Amino acid sequence: MSSFLKKFQILKKKDMESNESFAPANRGQRDIREAHFSGLQQPSPQDPANQRTSQLLPLLVKPSPSPAVADAKKKTPAQPVVFPELVQRPTNHKATPGTSRPDDKHVNHSPVDVNLPKLYSKEKLRKVPTPPGKKKPEPALPLYPELTDDQFKYLWDPRKLQRGRSLKECLELMDEREVLDTILAHINQSLRRGSSSESRQLRRKSDLAAAQKTTVQPRPKTTPQEKIPLYRYFGVKLRDSRHKDVVSEYLHTLMGFAFYDEVDREGVSEAIGVIAFCHLSEILCVLRDYGHLMPQRKSVQQIPEELRNISEGYIRTALILCYGQAAMGAKPEDMLALVELMVSEILFQYRGTFKDEMLKKTFMRSVIMISKALLHIRKNDVHFPRKTELVICIIEVIEEEPLGSFAITILHQALVTVTCMTSLKPPVDSEVRSDLVSKSIKKVFSLPALKMTKLKAGSPTHPIQSQDFYQQTVSACHNMLTGLLSEAPNLESLQDILIHTNNWMDSQKSYERERAVRSTSHLLKFVSEHLDFDTSPEFSLLGHLVALLALHIADSVKEIGQVAAEAMYHLHYIIMSKMAKEIEKRHKNRKGNVVKWLREDFFISGPTVFYNNIAKVAQAFGEHLTSSQITDLVLKAIDNLMHEDKAISQAAGVLLSSFLEECGMDMEDLPMIVKEIYNHLPRINDPLTKEETLKAVCSLASKRLNGVVDILLECSVECDENVAEIWKALVSDPYANIKLIRPLLKRLQDEDPLSEVTFRRHSKSLMPIAATNALCLILSLPEASDALQNKFPHLLLALTTQIYFVLGSGRRGSKTLGQPTALSTTIQALKNLIACAGYIREYSILGMQGCWSMLADSDTFFEGVFHLARTLFAFTKVHIKITFKQANGYLRRTDPKERIVGMAFFTELLYHSEIGLFFVKQDILDVIREWMGQNCPLMRLFSIRGLGHLLQHPLEDEVLEPLLTPLINCAFDSDRNIARESFKSIQYMFQHLDVEEFGCAGTSLIPHLSKYLSDDDIELRRSAIILFGTLLKGVREVHRNNVTEDAFKSLVPLFIQLSDFATREAARSALRSCAVFMKWTNMPFDIYDYEKHDNITTTYLNICNYVIWNNKPHFPGMLAQMVEFLKSRNASHREAAAILIACSAQFMKPDVVSTADVENVFVALRELQGDCDVLVTSAAVQSIEEVYRHCGYRINPQLVPSQLMLMLKNSMSKPGFEARH
């Protein structure tokens, strides 16, 4: 047995001993009260629930047999609630009517776990210090004029009233039990008397009859309206009792009447309220006994669940109502000490499984009464205990109410209850407040429209007052919101509420939008009118709220627009107060900007200042919003651009445009804003809205062009239709048109638009491709010509460089179905650039030259660049100077590809003589000399090529000498292209320098040139031949012997070149130089003049007759060279070699040419008989015949096939080769 039960039993024994003397005298009265509580009276038939529970209530309140009381108490498990030692239980030995004891079968039934605070002891309350010399005044008893004894004189038997004494004096002389029993007897007249076989019930019935005989003569049956004052009169009498045991005993009896019908429940609760002024602790003890012990009775447990729930609901309803009335009637100091216990008991009783409408109403009514009781204390530190839990219960009540219902009584009462509670501390937790607001406004805002309530008003199911009550409910919601706000008067609390009301402003139903806007306006007005409201916290919801109100200023419903404008007015007032307490004393906002909107402009216009003037909203709020608030506002405006209501969508466009123009510089989330506009643009159906949206982008670009350009490039690398629409708007905008090309050019070069320096490209960056696609579109627009200005040279080199990058990255093949490739787009952008800049004639010539196809191929790319640089400025020289400077700047770039393209333009532009007029030639030569020594082959190649172009223009000779040696060194390069350009440039160099003076520097190059004299590359071969003849003129005597051998080795290749149309003139000039170098003074000057003869054969016969005849020691070597030319891939060279052998066959004497050499020649010629070229075959046959004619006896017969031998024998009869030519 727990300590609590032991203590409880001791208290019970003491009570019974102390009250032993009262038991015999008052047994009849107690029996009467027990009869009252036994439930034998008929409950009120007006409530269906009463009819269903009329059979259950006697079982709930029927006392258990007295012999089992002790055993039941011993077996009853310990309750988790600690009863106060202050209050003692009734002293009679019999079980009181309200006491329930579990049966033996249910002894071990688990108790209900309820955590309730201990009651404060009155001893502790008496220890409150009082000022010395003063006696603590006793509070005066409340006076009830309507409950005087004279008002109830009919209750008393005149025979018992003493003459000469007043009724009050007579009642004071009467036993208090007799007085109380008399009142109870009259209350019991409306209750049905029942019979019982038990002797105790019979005894109670007789005692009750005896008591009634002492009363006045019978009166008509007491009506329900008369019962409540009678209950209250009973409460007054019991309040005045000074015997706590009597109070407890009659409280138990009184509670027995609370479970019959609503009138009795109301009467009992009001009596409890009267009694509580003096006996609050006793009341709480009795109420808790009923609340905790009765549900555990065996008789209750055996009732069917449905009926048991109804019965328990009656009990819980009565108890909750009594707690509320007790709080209202108690002394302030007593109630304050025990209010936590009362609230805990109310929560315990309410949290049952069954909650009907009456229980909910009673619960909220009790909470309201406790709230009022606490407010009457008039202390600043009064706290409402367990306030959050009560609010959570009310939230559940609200949540259970149906949506859109006309039955809003409970909803209205719930809102009023919360409003009452908000006047007391502590404030509701933010999470609970958020949940409360969310569910409350959901029920209130979704109520039927006012027109619907007018239609329903007066119908049988909806009384005439439903419309007024509906308005009261909406007002109650407003009061609840302001009440919650007054608990914690700061911006954080305001935002917690607005975050829920804001969502309803976007409702498609006009009446829901109107309620949301009105609620917001009501809240903002409340804040603006309270000077103690704390506006220091950050108002993070400001941007979103401004957007919502601004959008609904243009609402299609005029009333909503007007209310929204009024709300905006109050909001601006709050922001002004937040910025400074007095605008006159502070003309700058927190950003340091002077407030632009003067006070007169705001206050004179009044709340209508914003109506139909969204642009003014931006002026009023723009400078006061933080970057995050601006972002919230702009995002909200963007979301409404596709609104089905054109008024809202157009308002969103105006709002977006005006705010981006007003505070676009303060936005931090620029990428997100531009991307959202891009994503929403294709879904905007209204033309005016789309126009305003594009205007908004232009406004934003006017302040942050670089950022806007970057984000647009990221949004669509391919430049789809959506972003193309934005590009077109930017080009059409005067401000953006002027500055648009620069950031695009920077991104085309993969550079930061804000940076003035260049850096290495990121190999995986898509910015250059995106910029190319954008430029391809922009440059095709007519307005783009104004945007170009002096950016043409920059774009020319940048786009050409981009083509080079695309070729190198392999993006040529990254083509998807139906889409152009990156390469084709870049080339098209270059073509658009040239046409946009006005180079129409040059554009046509480049097309005819095949420049575009050259640029599209990596093998011919630089050939295309050369055509581009030469042709583009052939007629117009406007941009040539800036282009050359830009190309020079590219030479300092870190990326090698950019340097190469820059060098290609730099050197090819030297083709134009105007460059020498614009720039210092020596500076250009210094640049060329620097890059001639670089490791990059292309850089050396282009520098040599540029030098060649420059050498074709007039130059001072003395400045060229330092370049000669580097140039000759480049001629030794293994790269054939570098060698070719070097040969040509050296040739041009000696047009300015005296070859006899400076030619000795190239003497070492002569042997190197010999291997190019028969090269397959015509240009290279021709350049080598020309340079060979030129350098021979500068050989000095000390080097003559070394060069002579090289000169002899070059004779045969030069002879062969006389037959080639492309090189015959260069070969003839070189052979003449050789003759001069060899000092062949007796050789005819016209020996190399091929024009004088019909064919080359005659020329070769003349050459052989002189050169070979006079240089027989060198003939074997020359013959070997001829045999090598028989194997050449060039058919003309094979033919010339065969003819040359035929012409020199007469000199193949044994003392000059060995037999082996002769046989090698014959075999080589024999193999040419089957040559694919007819001319080669014919020349080979003639050469075989001549060789066999002069040297046939020296040729091994096995080397001559029989058929060939037969042919040769037949040809011997013909005249010789010399004779025929």
Side-chain angles (χ1 to χ4, degrees):
M1 181 179 296
S2 64
S3 59
F4 161 70
L5 289 179
K6 292 179 180 179
K7 186 182 297 184
F8 183 71
Q9 290 180 354
I10 293 173
L11 291 174
K12 288 287 292 180
K13 290 180 180 179
K14 289 182 178 180
D15 289 342
M16 288 187 292
E17 291 174 358
S18 61
N19 297 321
E20 188 70 25
S21 59
F22 292 96
N26 299 319
R27 185 174 303 275
Q29 290 85 344
R30 288 198 300 271
D31 290 343
I32 294 174
R33 288 192 296 272
E34 290 173 358
H36 293 170
F37 192 73
S38 62
L40 300 180
Q41 305 294 335
Q42 177 65 37
S44 174
Q46 60 186 1
D47 191 349
N50 288 340
Q51 297 177 1
R52 300 184 63 186
T53 56
S54 59
Q55 299 176 354
L56 302 177
L57 291 177
L59 298 177
L60 297 177
V61 300
K62 183 178 180 180
S64 301
S66 57
V69 173
D71 294 339
K73 288 184 178 182
K74 292 180 180 180
K75 297 179 181 180
T76 301
Q79 297 291 332
V81 181
V82 179
F83 283 84
E85 299 179 7
L86 171 66
V87 183
Q88 296 181 356
R89 299 291 301 274
T91 57
N92 57 331
H93 294 281
K94 296 182 181 180
T96 57
T99 306
S100 63
R101 58 179 71 86
D103 295 334
D104 295 342
K105 186 181 295 185
H106 298 274
V107 169
N108 296 325
H109 181 70
S110 60
V112 180
D113 186 11
V114 182
N115 296 322
L116 300 178
K118 294 182 179 180
L119 286 172
Y120 295 93
S121 64
K122 289 192 175 181
E123 286 76 5
K124 293 182 180 180
L125 293 177
R126 294 193 185 99
K127 292 180 181 179
V128 177
T130 55
K134 289 186 179 181
K135 186 177 180 181
K136 186 176 180 179
E138 291 291 336
L141 292 176
L143 300 177
Y144 302 99
E146 72 279 7
L147 301 179
T148 59
D149 294 333
D150 294 334
Q151 297 292 335
F152 298 92
K153 188 175 182 180
Y154 64 90
L155 297 176
W156 315 109
D157 186 357
R159 292 173 297 177
K160 291 189 175 184
L161 298 179
Q162 300 180 13
R163 295 180 180 180
R165 294 181 182 271
S166 64
L167 178 59
K168 181 177 181 181
E169 293 175 345
C170 294
L171 293 179
E172 288 177 354
L173 296 175
M174 294 176 60
D175 181 67
E176 62 180 357
R177 291 180 180 273
E178 181 182 357
V179 174
L180 295 173
D181 287 341
T182 302
I183 300 174
L184 287 177
H186 281 271
I187 292 175
N188 194 47
Q189 287 181 0
S190 62
L191 303 178
R192 179 179 59 88
R193 295 186 179 91
S195 60
S196 174
S197 59
E198 295 182 8
S199 58
R200 179 177 299 177
Q201 295 295 336
L202 294 174
R203 186 168 57 255
R204 287 178 179 175
K205 185 175 181 180
S206 60
D207 291 343
L208 180 60
Q212 290 177 344
K213 291 180 180 180
T214 61
T215 62
V216 296
Q217 295 181 359
R219 287 174 51 89
K221 201 171 191 178
T222 307
T223 62
Q225 291 76 13
E226 296 175 345
K227 289 177 67 175
I228 293 179
L230 199 56
Y231 275 112
R232 297 183 66 199
Y233 182 62
F234 176 82
V236 171
K237 294 303 180 182
L238 189 58
R239 177 197 66 182
D240 297 338
S241 175
R242 297 182 178 274
H243 300 90
K244 297 185 181 300
D245 56 338
V246 174
V247 172
S248 297
E249 179 181 352
Y250 278 90
L251 282 173
H252 278 82
T253 304
L254 179 65
M255 288 303 300
F257 294 100
F259 311 119
Y260 286 99
D261 56 22
E262 187 174 350
V263 175
D264 290 290
R265 180 170 61 243
E266 189 68 27
V268 170
S269 66
E270 293 202 17
I272 291 293
V274 175
I275 301 169
F277 188 81
C278 296
H279 305 289
L280 179 61
S281 298
E282 289 78 5
I283 291 174
L284 296 184
C285 185
V286 171
L287 293 178
R288 189 160 54 177
D289 286 346
Y290 272 92
H292 290 272
L293 300 180
M294 184 171 292
Q296 301 178 17
R297 292 173 58 90
K298 177 180 178 181
S299 56
V300 175
Q301 297 297 329
Q302 293 177 349
I303 301 174
E305 182 177 0
E306 181 180 359
L307 298 178
R308 184 170 67 249
N309 290 336
I310 297 175
S311 301
E312 289 186 4
Y314 264 76
I315 298 173
R316 295 178 186 275
T317 302
L319 292 172
I320 291 173
L321 185 58
C322 289
Y323 279 116
Q325 292 286 4
M328 283 291 291
K331 298 176 184 176
E333 59 271 18
D334 292 346
M335 192 277 298
L336 185 61
L338 299 174
V339 65
E340 184 172 359
L341 175 63
M342 289 187 282
V343 173
S344 301
E345 287 292 339
I346 290 175
L347 286 171
F348 174 77
Q349 298 299 333
Y350 179 74
R351 285 171 177 169
T353 57
F354 180 76
K355 297 183 181 70
D356 58 0
E357 182 177 348
M358 182 56 66
L359 180 63
K360 294 177 183 178
K361 291 181 178 180
T362 304
F363 167 72
M364 292 184 288
R365 179 183 172 188
S366 296
V367 173
I368 293 175
M369 288 190 286
I370 294 177
S371 301
K372 292 181 177 180
L374 290 173
L375 287 174
H376 290 163
I377 297 177
R378 302 184 183 280
K379 291 185 179 179
N380 295 330
D381 57 345
V382 176
H383 281 61
F384 200 128
R386 307 185 72 170
K387 179 179 177 181
T388 300
E389 297 179 55
L390 293 171
V391 173
I392 292 174
C393 292
I394 296 175
I395 293 174
E396 294 175 356
V397 172
I398 296 174
E399 190 174 12
E400 292 172 359
E401 289 298 294
L403 283 173
S405 174
F406 286 94
I408 55 175
T409 305
I410 294 181
L411 176 61
H412 180 274
Q413 188 174 359
L415 299 175
V416 173
T417 304
V418 175
T419 304
C420 293
M421 296 175 65
T422 56
S423 303
L424 296 165
K425 299 178 181 179
V428 181
D429 296 339
S430 59
E431 294 182 3
V432 178
R433 178 176 58 213
S434 177
D435 192 25
L436 171 64
V437 173
S438 175
K439 291 181 170 58
S440 299
I441 64 175
K442 180 180 180 181
K443 301 297 182 181
V444 175
F445 290 175
S446 61
L447 290 175
L450 182 60
K451 294 181 179 179
M452 186 63 66
T453 60
K454 292 180 179 179
L455 294 175
K456 294 292 183 178
S459 64
T461 56
H462 301 88
I464 191 66
Q465 65 270 19
S466 62
Q467 183 178 347
D468 296 335
F469 193 65
Y470 160 82
Q471 295 288 2
Q472 294 173 12
T473 303
V474 176
S475 299
C477 181
H478 292 170
N479 295 336
M480 184 198 72
L481 296 178
T482 53
L484 291 172
L485 196 56
S486 63
E487 283 189 330
N490 54 59
L491 288 180
E492 293 179 355
S493 303
L494 177 63
Q495 292 181 107
D496 289 343
I497 298 175
L498 291 178
I499 198 172
H500 299 289
T501 58
N502 287 353
N503 296 333
W504 288 86
M505 290 192 197
D506 293 328
S507 174
Q508 296 182 353
K509 300 177 181 179
S510 59
Y511 60 88
E512 291 180 351
R513 292 200 308 274
E514 182 178 1
R515 291 166 188 163
V517 174
R518 287 191 183 278
S519 297
T520 302
S521 178
H522 184 81
L523 288 170
L524 296 176
K525 182 180 180 182
F526 173 83
V527 174
S528 64
E529 292 175 350
H530 285 73
L531 300 178
D532 59 340
F533 199 87
D534 183 14
T535 58
S536 59
E538 183 67 24
F539 198 175
S540 59
L541 199 64
L542 178 61
H544 188 262
L545 181 59
V546 171
L548 279 173
L549 294 176
L551 291 173
H552 291 289
I553 286 175
D555 199 285
S556 56
V557 180
K558 182 178 179 180
E559 290 77 7
I560 296 178
Q562 293 173 345
V563 176
E566 183 179 353
M568 189 74 77
Y569 174 84
H570 297 309
L571 180 61
H572 185 263
Y573 191 93
I574 295 171
I575 298 306
M576 291 292 102
S577 300
K578 179 176 175 59
M579 185 187 69
K581 293 297 182 181
E582 296 180 1
I583 293 180
E584 295 88 349
K585 295 181 180 180
R586 186 178 181 186
H587 297 284
K588 293 184 179 181
N589 58 14
R590 60 179 176 181
K591 297 178 183 178
N593 301 326
V594 176
V595 179
K596 300 176 183 178
W597 202 12
L598 300 179
R599 176 175 177 173
E600 292 77 11
D601 189 19
F602 176 68
F603 286 100
I604 293 176
S605 300
T608 60
V609 64
F610 297 112
Y611 186 60
N612 289 332
N613 196 347
I614 297 178
K616 204 159 192 176
V617 175
Q619 298 174 6
F621 289 89
E623 61 181 345
H624 306 301
L625 298 180
T626 63
S627 58
S628 60
Q629 292 168 348
I630 295 172
T631 301
D632 294 340
L633 184 147
V634 171
L635 289 178
K636 185 61 180 178
I638 293 173
D639 290 339
N640 284 272
L641 292 174
M642 300 84 58
H643 202 281
E644 58 186 10
D645 188 349
K646 288 186 178 181
I648 299 296
S649 65
Q650 292 175 5
V654 175
L655 180 67
L656 179 65
S657 176
S658 57
F659 262 94
L660 291 183
E661 182 179 0
E662 183 71 24
C663 46
M665 289 296 296
D666 301 327
M667 290 175 50
E668 292 182 354
D669 298 324
L670 179 65
M672 179 175 60
I673 298 301
V674 178
K675 289 179 181 178
E676 286 295 316
I677 294 176
Y678 162 76
N679 293 328
H680 287 74
L681 191 61
R683 292 178 286 170
I684 301 176
N685 298 321
D686 182 58
L688 294 178
T689 304
K690 180 168 287 190
E691 181 180 350
E692 285 292 338
T693 304
L694 294 174
K695 179 182 175 182
V697 178
C698 294
S699 299
L700 187 59
S702 65
K703 297 175 174 57
R704 304 175 68 174
L705 180 62
N706 293 332
V708 172
V709 168
D710 282 355
I711 299 161
L712 290 176
L713 294 177
E714 293 177 2
C715 287
S716 176
V717 176
E718 298 80 9
C719 192
D720 58 17
E721 295 180 1
N722 301 331
V723 78
E725 200 168 2
I726 300 177
W727 288 125
K728 292 177 182 178
L730 292 176
V731 173
S732 301
D733 183 71
Y735 178 86
N737 183 292
I738 298 174
K739 298 186 177 183
L740 184 61
I741 296 298
R742 185 183 183 277
L744 285 173
L745 176 61
K746 284 286 188 179
R747 283 310 183 188
L748 177 62
Q749 298 170 339
D750 203 9
E751 300 172 2
D752 186 358
L754 301 178
S755 176
E756 296 297 333
V757 298
T758 58
F759 51 86
R760 185 179 181 86
R761 284 179 177 238
H762 193 282
S763 59
K764 296 182 179 180
S765 176
L766 295 177
M767 275 296 182
I769 297 178
T772 301
N773 293 329
L775 284 169
C776 186
L777 170 70
I778 292 172
L779 294 173
S780 66
L781 302 174
E783 301 87 349
S785 58
D786 298 332
L788 274 181
Q789 296 183 353
N790 59 346
K791 295 296 182 182
F792 172 77
H794 303 77
L795 286 173
L796 176 65
L797 269 75
L799 288 173
T800 306
T801 305
Q802 178 62 18
I803 295 174
Y804 190 39
F805 271 97
V806 173
L807 287 172
S809 62
R811 287 177 177 150
R812 292 177 293 172
S814 60
K815 181 177 180 180
T816 57
L817 185 61
Q819 294 182 354
T821 63
L823 179 61
S824 62
T825 303
T826 310
I827 294 176
Q828 185 61 46
L830 181 60
K831 294 165 70 175
N832 293 345
L833 171 67
I834 295 172
C836 183
Y839 291 93
I840 306 300
R841 182 179 178 185
E842 292 82 352
Y843 180 90
S844 302
I845 296 175
L846 288 170
M848 291 186 293
Q849 291 175 344
C851 178
W852 314 126
S853 59
M854 292 179 185
L855 292 173
D857 191 343
S858 58
D859 296 332
T860 59
F861 171 75
F862 288 107
E863 288 295 326
V865 174
F866 298 153
H867 282 290
L868 190 63
R870 281 180 295 188
T871 306
L872 200 58
F873 305 108
F875 308 104
T876 305
K877 312 296 182 180
V878 176
H879 297 108
I880 189 171
K881 181 179 179 180
I882 301 177
T883 305
F884 187 78
K885 290 181 64 176
Q886 185 69 15
N888 184 42
Y890 267 61
L891 299 180
R892 303 294 180 264
R893 296 288 180 94
T894 57
D895 193 285
K897 290 186 177 181
E898 291 180 331
R899 292 198 302 268
I900 291 171
V901 174
M903 180 58 79
F905 271 96
F906 180 86
T907 56
E908 200 62 26
L909 287 174
L910 294 175
Y911 174 84
H912 303 280
S913 60
E914 290 79 8
I915 296 297
L917 302 177
F918 296 141
F919 302 94
V920 179
K921 296 178 182 179
Q922 185 60 50
D923 294 341
I924 298 173
L925 290 172
D926 292 340
V927 173
I928 291 175
R929 183 179 179 183
E930 176 187 353
W931 288 102
M932 283 172 60
Q934 295 295 321
N935 295 326
C936 178
L938 286 175
M939 297 298 288
R940 293 205 305 274
L941 173 64
F942 296 155
S943 61
I944 296 169
R945 181 183 176 89
L947 179 60
H949 290 321
L950 194 61
L951 289 172
Q952 297 179 57
H953 306 314
L955 292 171
E956 297 295 333
D957 295 342
E958 59 270 12
V959 299
L960 298 177
E961 184 179 353
L963 291 169
L964 181 58
T965 301
L967 187 59
I968 292 174
N969 292 335
C970 291
F972 285 97
D973 199 289
S974 58
D975 190 312
R976 296 163 58 83
N977 295 321
I978 295 177
R980 180 183 66 248
E981 295 296 335
S982 299
F983 297 161
K984 292 166 62 177
S985 297
I986 294 173
Q987 175 188 348
Y988 298 141
M989 180 76 75
F990 284 115
Q991 292 177 0
H992 298 273
L993 300 176
D994 186 3
V995 67
E996 294 182 358
E997 181 181 355
F998 297 100
C1000 61
T1003 303
S1004 59
L1005 188 60
I1006 293 176
H1008 182 68
L1009 291 173
S1010 300
K1011 64 180 182 179
Y1012 294 108
L1013 298 179
S1014 58
D1015 196 87
D1016 295 336
D1017 186 346
I1018 297 176
E1019 189 67 24
L1020 176 60
R1021 186 170 69 243
R1022 183 176 177 276
S1023 300
I1025 293 171
I1026 295 173
L1027 183 58
F1028 178 80
T1030 303
L1031 293 177
L1032 285 178
K1033 298 176 183 179
V1035 177
R1036 297 184 179 179
E1037 288 297 328
V1038 294
H1039 301 114
R1040 179 176 292 279
N1041 293 333
N1042 297 331
V1043 177
T1044 301
E1045 186 65 27
D1046 295 324
F1048 273 109
K1049 291 181 180 180
S1050 64
L1051 290 176
V1052 172
L1054 292 174
F1055 295 159
I1056 298 296
Q1057 298 305 317
L1058 289 174
S1059 65
D1060 193 329
F1061 179 81
T1063 57
R1064 58 173 55 178
E1065 186 61 31
R1068 180 171 63 179
S1069 177
L1071 286 171
R1072 286 175 177 174
S1073 297
C1074 286
V1076 175
F1077 175 76
M1078 298 291 187
K1079 297 182 180 180
W1080 293 338
T1081 56
N1082 57 346
M1083 186 179 72
F1085 182 76
D1086 59 352
I1087 192 174
Y1088 300 116
D1089 294 344
Y1090 47 82
E1091 299 95 343
K1092 295 181 178 181
H1093 308 287
D1094 295 336
N1095 52 56
I1096 196 63
T1097 304
T1098 304
T1099 303
Y1100 281 164
L1101 281 173
N1102 294 333
I1103 291 174
C1104 291
N1105 288 335
Y1106 182 83
V1107 176
I1108 296 177
W1109 175 259
N1110 294 319
N1111 297 282
K1112 290 181 180 180
H1114 295 280
F1115 182 57
M1118 297 171 69
L1119 186 61
Q1121 288 180 303
M1122 296 175 192
V1123 172
E1124 289 297 324
F1125 273 101
L1126 292 176
K1127 303 174 184 179
S1128 174
R1129 291 179 293 181
N1130 193 320
S1132 63
H1133 292 179
R1134 294 196 302 273
E1135 179 187 2
I1139 296 172
L1140 193 58
I1141 291 174
C1143 295
S1144 61
Q1146 57 181 324
F1147 303 106
M1148 295 180 186
K1149 303 301 180 181
D1151 57 342
V1152 179
V1153 179
S1154 64
T1155 302
D1157 292 340
V1158 173
E1159 290 179 347
N1160 289 338
V1161 171
F1162 182 82
V1163 172
L1165 291 170
R1166 187 189 65 186
E1167 292 178 354
L1168 287 180
Q1169 285 182 311
D1171 196 274
C1172 60
D1173 193 298
V1174 177
L1175 296 177
V1176 175
T1177 302
S1178 176
V1181 171
Q1182 292 180 10
S1183 183
I1184 289 173
E1185 291 176 353
E1186 288 303 312
V1187 172
Y1188 192 80
R1189 184 188 303 277
H1190 294 285
C1191 307
Y1193 65 95
R1194 301 173 61 186
I1195 299 173
N1196 188 348
Q1198 295 180 355
L1199 298 178
V1200 184
S1202 58
Q1203 293 180 355
L1204 179 60
M1205 182 62 72
L1206 180 61
M1207 182 193 69
L1208 292 174
K1209 288 180 179 181
N1210 295 331
S1211 65
M1212 291 298 104
S1213 59
K1214 298 178 181 180
F1217 188 77
E1218 298 85 355
R1220 295 197 301 270
H1221 296 83

